């Protein structure tokens, strides 16, 4: 089979049917020593979950556990945390949480850890890149310990208001999780997905499991879900592979999961988070580069990197900055916390690259909805979200995001001020990041043709433009309608 992946997105293993086994080609993922090829067992389509067989040998699992038990310093085994906050001195301080009671350690240097990291990238068919992963986390659970329901993805505003955590619009987030089970617990310790239905209707938790926890506690709730919802069992040498991002690049809320409280024995596991792009955090992501940043605006520009203030570039000035491949910068006016109007990703083979920072373009007048159809020679223009008759408004500095979908049977071209933005095949969609008052046009089959539809960006958290025409694709008899911005549900 051949699977198509849109530009800017990553490959996602397809779900075929519950229990379907897909052998991963040894050319993509060489089998572990003494084991057969890796097999993906389909568990769920939404969230996208697989059980992975033959992912680790007993020797590799034992080596990772041994590393955790013998680690010292910052990587040593200690009470698990759920992030960090600033203390009075402005330093990061790890946060413990009642909802996570395990112990964990970190390893990305031992031979077994490096092997598991490489194997995880191969499993997801993503080119290995240290800038697109977190370290290998090793976790230990004892009886009664678990991890309450949580996501692996970061919500907007997490750990830095200026970082774009939306993959759909070009941002970066945790994309896939590979959780490797390193031993066979006596009882419990499954990975559960409470927002997905279970595979065994009518199942209930056994009384001895419920009696371990008080009613009303998160442990009691999760234990009940571990017997009634979708789960992946812990078995040595296997793994759970699940995606926090949908195949079309959207954050998937149904990927929330929990570590079922352990009922007997000890549970060891190791997980790797793989990002779709450069991850959030201060890491080197490639070769050293120098960026020449030129301010071509008529006011000072504030440049930041992942929410951290980098520099201020005066009008017509140029600065030189040492950085690394794949690092991303943001430009704003007024302060480093100002609204982003331009960004730049360091890429290419040249040791020195140039970023000319230009002010965002503005247009003067918005379209008029009531006269749109009559003004067209063919009577086919469709005014979408436009101003009322006789009213014109200037574009302002408020940003807007518009989701565009092609509901017609023809390829359309979307343009702004005579410049093509993108083309959309029938049924396809795309996102526009723009400013309030900007007017967009749709034409077919190219942007050189007379526009048949218009859209005016308005203020609001989410807007959609569903572009359609009459059945024959000419737009000659299409009905003129007014569409309004609507919130994303």
């Amino acid at each position: 089979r051949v699977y198509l992946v849109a530009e800017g997105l990553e490959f996602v293993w397809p779900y075929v049917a519950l229990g379907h086994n897909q052998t991963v080609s040894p050319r993509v993922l060489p089998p572990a020593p003494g084991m057969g090829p890796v097999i993906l067992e389909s568990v769920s389509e939404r969230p996208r979950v697989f059980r992975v067989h033959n992912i680790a040998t007993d020797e590799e699992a034992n080596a990772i556990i041994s590393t955790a038990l013998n680690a010292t310093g910052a990587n040593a085994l200690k009470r698990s945390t759920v992030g960090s906050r600033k203390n009075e001195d402005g330093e990061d301080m790890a946060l413990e949480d009642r909802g996570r009671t395990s112990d964990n350690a970190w390893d990305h240097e031992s031979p077994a850890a490096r092997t598991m990291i490489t194997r995880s990238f191969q499993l997801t068919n993503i080119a290995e890149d240290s800038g697109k992963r977190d370290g290998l986390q090793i976790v230990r659970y004892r009886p009664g310990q678990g991890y309450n329901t949580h996501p692996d993805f970061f919500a907007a505003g997490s750990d830095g208001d200026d970082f774009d955590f939306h993959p759909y619009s070009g941002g970066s987030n945790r994309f896939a999780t590979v959780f490797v089970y390193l031993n066979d617990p006596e009882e419990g310790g499954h990975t559960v997905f409470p927002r997905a239905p279970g595979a065994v209707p009518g199942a209930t938790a056994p009384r001895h499991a419920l009696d371990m926890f008080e009613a009303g506690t998160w442990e009691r709730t999760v234990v009940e879900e571990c017997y009634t919802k979708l789960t992946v069992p812990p078995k040595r040498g296997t793994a759970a592979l699940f995606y926090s991002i949908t195949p079309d690049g959207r954050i998937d809320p149904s990927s929330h999961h929990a570590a079922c409280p352990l009922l007997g024995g000890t549970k060891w596991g190791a997980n790797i988070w793989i990002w779709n792009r450069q991850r959030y955090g201060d890491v080197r992501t490639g070769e050293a580069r120098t960026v020449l940043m030129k301010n071509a605006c008529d006011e000072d520009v504030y440049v930041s990197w992942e929410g951290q203030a980098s520099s201020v570039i005066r009008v017509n000035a140029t600065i030189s900055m040492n950085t690394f491949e794949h690092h991303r910068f943001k430009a704003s006016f007024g302060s480093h916390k100002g609204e982003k109007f331009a960004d730049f990703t360091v890429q290419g083979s040249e040791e020195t690259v140039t970023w000319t920072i230009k002010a965002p373009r503005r247009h003067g007048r918005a379209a008029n909805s009531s006269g749109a159809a009559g003004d067209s020679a063919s009577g086919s223009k469709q005014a979408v979200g436009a101003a009322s008759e006789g009213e014109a408004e200037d574009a302002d500095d408020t940003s807007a995001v518009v989701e565009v979908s092609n509901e017609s049977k023809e390829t359309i071209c979307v343009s702004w001020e005579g410049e093509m933005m993108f083309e959309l095949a029938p049924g396809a969609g795309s996102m526009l990041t723009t400013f309030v008052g900007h007017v967009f046009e749709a034409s077919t089959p190219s942007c050189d043709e007379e526009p048949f539809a218009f859209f005016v960006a308005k203020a609001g958290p989410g807007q959609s433009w569903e572009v359609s025409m009459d059945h024959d694709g000419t737009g000659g008899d299409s009905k003129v309608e007014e569409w309004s911005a609507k919130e994303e549900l």
Side-chain angles (χ1 to χ4, degrees):
R1 296 179 179 179
V2 176
Y3 299 98
L4 301 180
V5 180
E7 185 178 357
L9 299 179
E10 293 287 359
F11 171 79
V12 175
W13 278 103
Y15 172 86
V16 179
L18 180 63
H20 174 83
N21 288 329
Q22 172 68 55
T23 300
V24 181
S25 171
R27 291 176 297 177
V28 176
L29 175 50
M35 303 186 73
V38 171
I39 297 175
L40 279 179
E41 177 186 345
S42 291
V43 175
S44 170
E45 183 172 18
R46 184 74 180 269
R48 192 66 59 91
V49 182
F50 299 91
R51 189 180 184 195
V52 187
H53 301 270
N54 301 332
I55 193 66
T57 67
D58 290 351
E59 292 75 16
E60 291 167 342
N62 290 335
I64 292 174
I65 294 174
S66 177
T67 297
L69 290 172
N70 293 289
T72 59
N75 293 328
L77 194 66
K78 59 175 70 72
R79 168 70 185 272
S80 298
T81 58
V82 292
S84 64
R85 65 174 174 84
K86 300 291 185 183
N87 61 19
E88 296 179 353
D89 299 323
E91 300 172 336
D92 286 330
M93 182 174 65
L95 295 175
E96 295 183 357
D97 188 271
R98 175 69 184 83
R100 189 183 189 192
T101 53
S102 61
D103 299 310
N104 77 315
W106 296 91
D107 181 17
H108 61 273
E109 297 179 346
S110 72
R114 291 199 300 269
T115 296
M116 201 56 55
I117 290 171
T118 296
R119 203 170 288 160
S120 296
F121 274 102
Q122 293 170 333
L123 174 66
T124 56
N125 202 27
I126 296 174
E128 185 170 355
D129 183 344
S130 61
K132 295 174 68 173
R133 66 164 175 81
D134 299 282
L136 184 77
Q137 179 183 222
I138 308 167
V139 291
R140 178 183 65 188
Y141 294 91
R142 291 178 167 139
Q145 292 183 333
Y147 193 176
N148 199 3
T149 303
H150 64 283
D152 278 354
F153 62 79
F154 289 90
S158 302
D159 295 329
D161 293 337
D162 292 327
F163 191 83
D164 183 2
F165 286 106
H166 298 286
Y168 188 84
S169 57
S172 180
N173 213 318
R174 284 176 175 169
F175 174 73
T177 299
V178 180
F179 189 97
V180 182
Y181 302 104
L182 301 176
N183 75 324
D184 294 314
E186 293 178 12
E187 186 178 9
H190 292 53
T191 302
V192 62
F193 297 84
R195 300 187 178 186
V200 183
T204 58
R207 174 49 55 184
H208 74 275
L210 297 175
D211 290 343
M212 288 183 62
F213 308 101
E214 295 183 7
T217 63
W218 72 261
E219 291 96 336
R220 177 72 171 259
T221 299
V222 171
V223 162
E224 292 175 346
E225 293 172 335
C226 289
Y227 288 88
T228 59
K229 300 294 184 178
L230 174 72
T231 61
V232 177
K235 179 176 175 56
R236 184 185 182 99
T238 68
L241 165 64
F242 57 93
Y243 294 89
S244 296
I245 308 299
T246 61
D248 64 351
R250 300 175 188 273
I251 290 175
D252 186 1
S254 69
S255 65
H256 278 65
H257 55 284
C260 295
L262 194 66
L263 305 180
T266 301
K267 171 189 172 184
W268 284 93
N271 68 276
I272 180 75
W273 294 290
I274 297 177
W275 293 61
N276 64 301
R277 294 176 183 267
Q278 158 63 36
R279 78 174 182 89
Y280 178 86
D282 188 8
V283 295
R284 171 176 173 163
T285 60
E287 298 299 322
R289 293 287 185 263
T290 298
V291 180
L292 298 179
M293 301 182 181
K294 298 181 179 181
N295 181 5
C297 306
D298 56 5
E299 58 182 293
D300 295 346
V301 169
Y302 293 76
V303 175
S304 58
W305 174 68
E306 293 192 359
Q308 305 174 35
S310 294
S311 61
V312 179
I313 310 177
R314 303 304 178 190
V315 177
N316 295 323
T318 298
I319 67 170
S320 176
M321 183 174 295
N322 294 324
T323 182
F324 296 96
E325 285 181 293
H326 312 305
H327 277 190
R328 298 190 298 177
F329 295 89
K330 182 199 86 169
S332 57
F333 293 132
S335 74
H336 289 101
K337 294 294 184 180
E339 185 75 22
K340 177 185 73 175
F341 70 86
D343 55 22
F344 182 79
T345 300
V346 182
Q347 53 190 349
S349 59
E350 298 294 328
E351 294 185 1
T352 300
V353 294
T354 300
W355 177 25
T356 301
I357 307 172
K358 299 179 180 180
R361 296 178 58 189
R362 300 285 188 268
H363 77 281
R365 316 301 275 178
N368 182 294
S369 63
S370 63
D375 291 341
S376 170
S378 63
S380 63
K381 289 188 178 178
Q382 177 185 20
V384 186
S388 61
E389 183 174 4
E391 177 185 359
E393 56 189 21
D394 290 332
D396 62 28
D397 289 339
T398 304
S399 63
V401 177
V402 181
E403 181 177 355
V404 186
S405 60
N406 182 4
E407 304 299 326
S408 73
K409 298 181 180 180
E410 303 290 334
T411 297
I412 64 171
C413 180
V414 176
S415 61
W416 172 59
E417 292 193 345
E419 294 187 7
M420 187 183 80
M421 305 300 292
F422 49 76
E423 291 183 340
L424 289 179
S430 185
M431 297 292 290
L432 281 171
T433 301
T434 182
F435 293 91
V436 171
H438 277 187
V439 181
F440 297 91
E441 301 175 341
S443 308
T444 187
S446 72
C447 284
D448 295 330
E449 303 299 325
E450 182 75 12
F452 67 87
F454 296 87
F455 185 89
V456 181
K458 291 187 175 181
Q463 304 169 63
S464 60
W465 179 19
E466 299 173 355
V467 186
S468 62
M469 60 172 63
D470 63 328
H471 68 280
D472 64 5
T474 64
D477 297 320
S478 65
K479 179 181 178 181
V480 178
E481 300 178 353
E482 287 193 22
W483 296 72
S484 59
K486 60 183 180 181
E487 292 187 359
E488 295 280 0
L489 298 179

